[in-house]
Amino acid sequence: MKTYKIATIPGDGIGKEVVPAGREVMEALTTAGAGLRFEFENFGWGGDYYRQHGMMMPEDGLDALRGKDAILFGSAGDNQIPDHITLWGLRLKICQGFDQYANVRPTRILPGIDGPLKRCAAEDLNWIIVRENSEGEYSGVGGRVHQGHPIEAATDVSMMTRVGVERILRFAFKLAQSRPRKLLTVITKSNAQRHAMVMWDEVALQVSKDFPDVTWDKELVDAATARMVNRPKTLDTIVATNLHADILSDLAAALAGSLGIAPTGNIDPERRYPSMFEPIHGSAFDIMGRGLANPVGTFWSVVMLLEHLGEQQAAQRVMSAIEAVTANPALHTRDLGGTATTAEVTKAVCDQLAAGRQAEAA
Ligand code: ATP
């Protein structure tokens, strides 16, 4: 039986509820005879760790993760610690330390979910957003001078390198090529941002030559928001910068029914380091500790994790179990208008996996 080493990092807020739920589902997969097992190691990093140690994770934290096959992450964010500290001190430290330069975010309207777009059939919205995850607007380059004085100045420099742009576009073209529609939309803002974004357009054209079977177009980010709402069917794979895709993927998650459903993978396509999978939502302090968190975003992240490990069959089993559960409104959490708890949804998905095994055996 194949064994995978998995690091779990629940982090803060509802991360502490949904990551253990994700682990339960992975363990249920083993029990259900998927032919694989997991060795988990949990890391209690995040806001509580910061209060004790003055940092979100230890200096040598990356070394503890390096030998893992994948990481399941919850959320970094604490209402007593500034957001830039929680973000840069944990999640970005891992993403950048392991050069997880492709952030991949699938969006679909799952069975039983009532999306807010009234004119959109569920099958019309099936996107995968690729977000550049290592540079651009979130490079961390910039500074502040004369703080507190009227002449104070501050910059956040968006840094784009040809290597960084080319590798993410190549990844996106390849991903588009692997999907049935072979359709890619490259999002920029190259009318107003006339340096780096123009370079994106140029590199996209150059990379496209290696993917003659992929149909692609360009869209400005502002127009892209309207297109997502008005003509969702015209989109399939989407690639954009760190900031643009960050915003577009929250919109995508909302259009698919709830932030609580959406998953993401921070991928090192070259597989030099472990990749990290997480629900896209944050710590959600307003609902933490009350059993209200929707764990589906984490379960779908587990599906992505399994796909990344090459365990397509196991991934499909978990996805089918998730879909069977979302199809039943009695198993919807409060964000979807239901009353089910995190534990009830988790149990239902585990039961589905077990039922799948019994059906196979029969
Ligand atoms: P952060 O700063 O950590 O990103 P946030 O509060 O700004 O946190 P989210 O945590 O993503 O952003 O939450 C936004 C809203 O969505 C909150 O009202 C939260 O309760 C709700 N929400 C987010 N995730 C879930 C979930 N898994 N289940 C139910 N509701 C959720």
Side-chain angles (χ1 to χ4, degrees), residues 37-200:
R37 58 184 289 279
F38 305 97
E39 267 174 20
F40 291 99
E41 187 174 356
N42 191 58
F43 296 89
W45 301 336
D48 294 338
Y49 189 92
Y50 182 88
R51 270 180 283 279
Q52 279 184 351
H53 303 276
M55 55 182 99
M56 294 289 286
M57 65 184 274
E59 291 288 1
D60 58 356
L62 289 182
D63 292 332
L65 301 175
R66 208 175 294 277
K68 305 295 181 194
D69 292 303
I71 304 164
L72 184 64
F73 187 83
S75 166
D78 187 298
N79 47 15
Q80 289 161 5
I81 307 170
D83 281 347
H84 65 276
I85 291 179
T86 54
L87 183 64
W88 282 95
L90 185 55
R91 197 180 153 274
L92 288 184
K93 202 164 169 180
I94 298 171
C95 288
Q96 299 203 340
F98 288 158
D99 203 15
Q100 296 163 342
Y101 66 82
N103 181 258
V104 178
R105 302 182 166 204
T107 310
R108 271 195 298 128
I109 301 179
L110 297 183
I113 304 293
D114 186 21
L117 289 181
K118 291 301 163 229
R119 280 173 288 153
C120 169
E123 61 275 14
D124 290 349
L125 199 162
N126 186 347
W127 304 326
I128 191 150
I129 299 180
V130 176
R131 168 181 172 188
E132 202 295 315
N133 210 28
S134 69
E135 54 175 41
E137 306 87 343
Y138 298 171
S139 308
V141 178
R144 279 175 81 173
V145 289
H146 308 304
Q147 284 195 38
H149 295 278
I151 56 163
E152 180 169 353
T155 59
D156 276 299
V157 179
S158 171
M159 199 186 65
M160 309 268 184
T161 64
R162 179 172 274 272
V163 167
V165 173
E166 182 172 342
R167 68 182 184 174
I168 197 66
L169 285 167
R170 202 164 279 285
F171 177 87
F173 269 97
K174 217 165 157 188
L175 184 63
Q177 194 178 46
S178 74
R179 286 169 57 90
R181 293 175 71 196
K182 300 190 194 304
L183 185 63
L184 176 70
T185 299
V186 177
I187 309 242
T188 64
K189 186 65 188 166
S190 53
N191 56 347
Q193 294 178 303
R194 62 204 173 119
H195 305 294
M197 292 282 73
V198 174
M199 182 171 80
W200 266 71

Side-chain angles (χ1 to χ4, degrees), residues 180-246:
R181 293 175 71 196
K182 300 190 194 304
L183 185 63
L184 176 70
T185 299
V186 177
I187 309 242
T188 64
K189 186 65 188 166
S190 53
N191 56 347
Q193 294 178 303
R194 62 204 173 119
H195 305 294
M197 292 282 73
V198 174
M199 182 171 80
W200 266 71
D201 284 346
E202 287 170 11
V203 175
L205 180 62
Q206 177 201 322
V207 172
S208 72
K209 305 251 162 59
D210 294 336
F211 298 87
D213 54 339
V214 173
T215 306
W216 71 287
D217 64 357
K218 292 190 288 184
E219 190 74 84
L220 298 177
V221 65
D222 42 348
T225 57
R227 182 167 162 191
M228 285 165 76
V229 171
N230 293 326
R231 292 180 295 133
K233 207 178 171 173
T234 65
L235 295 161
D236 188 85
T237 307
I238 297 163
V239 61
T241 70
N242 215 330
L243 170 67
H244 292 166
D246 191 8

